[in-house]
Structures are given as C-alpha cells and as structure tokens.
Amino acid sequence: MSEPDELPEVVRLARDLIRIDTTNWGEGRSAGEREAAEYVGSHLESLGLAPEYYEPVPRRTNLSVRIPGRDRDKPALVLHGHLDVVPAVAEDWSVDPFGGEIRDGMLWGRGAVDMKDMDAMILASVGSLLRAGEQPARDLILTFFADEENGGVEGSQLVVRDRPDWFAGATEAISEVGGYSIPVGDRRAYLLQVGEKALVWLRLRARGVAGHGSRFHPDNAVTRLAEAVAALGRTSWPVALTDTTRQTVAGLAALCGADASDPDAVADRTGPAAGFLRSTLRTTTNPTGLTAGYKHNVIPDAAVATIDVRTLPGREDEVLAEIQRIVGDDIVVEVSHRDIGLETPFAGPLVEAMVGALETHDPGVPVIPYLMGGGTDNKALAELGIAGYGFAPLRLPRDLDFTGMFHGVDERVPLDALTFGQRVLTDLIRTY
Ligand SMILES: [Zn+2]
C-alpha cells in the first residue's frame, strides 16, 4: 500500500507503533514490548535525550527519560503510556490489526485507541517543543510501560518497586482514557479522568464428584458453577455515586437538560458513550471465562470461571462479601489479582491547565470529570504518591463509538484528532 509522505509526525509514530505487534495475552504470555520500546527510545535519542531501559522480565521492556524544565523547583510531571496491546482476532477485523492502515481519514489497528495514539501524541508533543528550542515549563518524566493490559504485573508494578528513582520529585501524572470528546444530547463535552474504579479479578471454583457422563449424578461441578456464574452475571448493581460521579452526572445533565436524579438516563444521553458511562456509576461483575471438563462423557470434579469485578474506590471488601452471598457458600471465591481504586479532586492547577488547554483549541466546550471503570498504570504510580489523570486529548466525531473500541474490533482514530491532541498536549507542557 502506498503511504502519503506528508503524514504528520504524530500519525507516523502511532502507525509505526501499531505495526510492532506487542500483543499481551495476560499472565506473562506476551509478544514482548522490546521492539516497541526500542522504537520509542530511538525517537527520544533523535531528540537528544538519553532514555533508560528496565527489563525486569526478558522482553518486557520499560523505558523512561527526564526532560529538564524551565523551572526545576516545581514538582515534575509524568507523561506515561503503555506499549502493549490486547490480542486481536484478525478474522473479526475489516483491516489487518497490525497493518497500521490509513483509511477514511483514520488510522486503523490494534492500539489506535488503547493506547499507541497517546504514546505517539506524547512523543510528538515533546518533539515539537524540543525541536523549536523550547523547554517544558517543569521537569517532564516520559515513561513507557510494558504489561499494562495484565495489570502492570511485569511492567509498572516492577518499575515502581525497582526504579522509583525514575519518578523522583514527581507529584502528578497524565496518561490514557480521558480528554476525549463525547456527544451530550446535541452538544459536546470532554471527559477528564480523575479516578479509577478498583479492580478485583476473581476465580469462582465449583467442586463436585467426577463420574461417567451417562449416570444419574446430581453432584455436578459444571452445573453448580453455571448457576453461580448466571447469578453473578445477571446481578444488577445499584447506582452508587462518588464525589466524582456526582459531578459527572450534574455536568452532563446541565449540558443536555436531562434530569440529574436519574443518573442512568443522563448517561444514556451520551450516544455511543452511554454504556461506558453507566459502568462508572456502579460496581460491575462480568463473567469472562469458563473452564471445565476434558471429555464429552466424563463429568469433571471441578469447574472454574473467571470474573472481572470493578468496584467503586474503597468498596472492594464489601462487594466481595456480597459476591460470596450471591454465588453461595459451596462456591470458592479466589482473588487472582486486585488493585486499588483512585479518586482525585477535579480541582487544582494541573486540572485548570488541562481544561485551559482544551478551551484554547476547542473554545466553549465544557470539560467534565469522570471516574473510569477500567484501570491504568496510574494505580502503580499512586504508590509513589503521584496523582494520575486520564488526559489523552482527542476531538472526535459524535458518531464514532470511541469508548467501545477499547479492546474492541476495528480500533481506529481520526488523523485530525491525533494532530489536535498533539497541539493540546504541547500547549500543556509548554505552560504548566
Ligand atoms: Zn490502555
């Protein structure tokens, strides 16, 4: 396929990163991030920077570099991204998920949304600033992590444990899943992520008695597990607002004239973002996997399901107790991985700077805080006392289901959204 030579740098960077397959199947199974890290590193070196690498597990490569700011007394700001992507089943896609194809004014491929777009925006913003002979307002720490899609187990968690020196003097961080626009009624708003729900990954384990598939056999682990999975999967968790989501609902309702006393109805006024926002208002418990049996005529003695639980910050233990009640005492509930929730006030100089940068480039469009249902490497950075925000600024067409493309098929991002984001980020680092 021929490529237009005049592609903006941010598009080229994102495209090249998409073409490096960094698939993460989870639990340590991964293509590895080394080539992507080296690509990012060589770009940073071309800007006269000297990134450091940390590979705690072979091929799980993280890198970081500090760029001195004009005022070195101010706390440093971290800009971070992850280099891995979730798997893509090529048959389900309209394009090669690792082809980095440009079509209909958009860049397509796994990572175009999550989050090689933002990786490229960070690199291009810093590049445009440094090549203009300028410095950021304060020290910037650019960090690119491995293994985010597995909770950072071989990435941010080990970096924070082993290389906290990378983040010396940093108090705030900016990364993915926020800063993009959504439709609200017939208006538009930007979501700024100021918190993340807590994450609890569970295994439900049912036990029974093994036996021949032809027998009368009530003590069946598969049946028992299926009942538990159905009960949990069908549980409708009630809306429970936090400081952040109260502001989300009020902000959206004011913009579209909806009734703020019905948060789900307010979320439903945001077009394709509705399901995404509904998940931010409550606990979710989604079954994601089932494992049992090895032969059609053998009843296995055990059956296991995986459940992805996201609770409001601080509610994990109360939700776990409720889950045990829902699935019943004969199901063993094991926590295979958990991580904290985060919530930072929608206030302060960095928030004002992010809102101001968007206002400069898209005047009159409000910025509304929200609490993300997913998790990011901001959770690991929080252990170092760093407050993280989701701010990957993208001005998007109202009919594009952007939030649905995180881990979805046909991930794509408009080229003009990438260049918009680069301009907003460049302003932010120049002035904050
Ligand atoms: Zn991501």
Side-chain angles (χ1 to χ4, degrees), residues 82 84 113-116 148-149 175-177 375-377 406-407:
H82 62 81
D84 59 325
V113 167
D114 183 8
M115 66 170 288
K116 289 173 171 173
E148 192 273 348
E149 297 293 0
S175 188
E176 59 174 339
V177 210
T376 73
D377 289 322
F406 284 84
H407 302 190

Side-chain angles (χ1 to χ4, degrees), residues 274-311:
F276 178 78
L277 281 173
R278 275 182 168 230
S279 74
T280 74
L281 305 174
R282 51 169 54 77
T283 292
T284 55
T285 49
N286 284 310
T288 52
L290 293 168
T291 314
Y294 50 91
K295 178 86 171 64
H296 209 134
N297 60 354
V298 178
I299 299 166
D301 66 356
V304 177
T306 55
I307 313 287
D308 188 342
V309 179
R310 310 295 173 118
T311 82

Side-chain angles (χ1 to χ4, degrees), residues 374-430:
T376 73
D377 289 322
N378 278 331
K379 291 189 195 301
L381 291 175
E383 289 174 39
L384 300 176
I386 296 171
Y389 298 88
F391 186 69
L394 297 167
R395 186 175 57 203
L396 298 170
R398 58 183 294 119
D399 57 343
L400 186 70
D401 182 6
F402 187 72
T403 53
M405 290 190 290
F406 284 84
H407 302 190
V409 297
D410 285 343
E411 259 188 87
R412 59 201 185 277
V413 63
L415 304 190
D416 61 6
L418 289 172
T419 52
F420 171 87
Q422 179 193 342
R423 290 195 299 273
V424 174
L425 275 185
T426 305
D427 273 5
L428 180 72
I429 60 179
R430 181 188 284 128

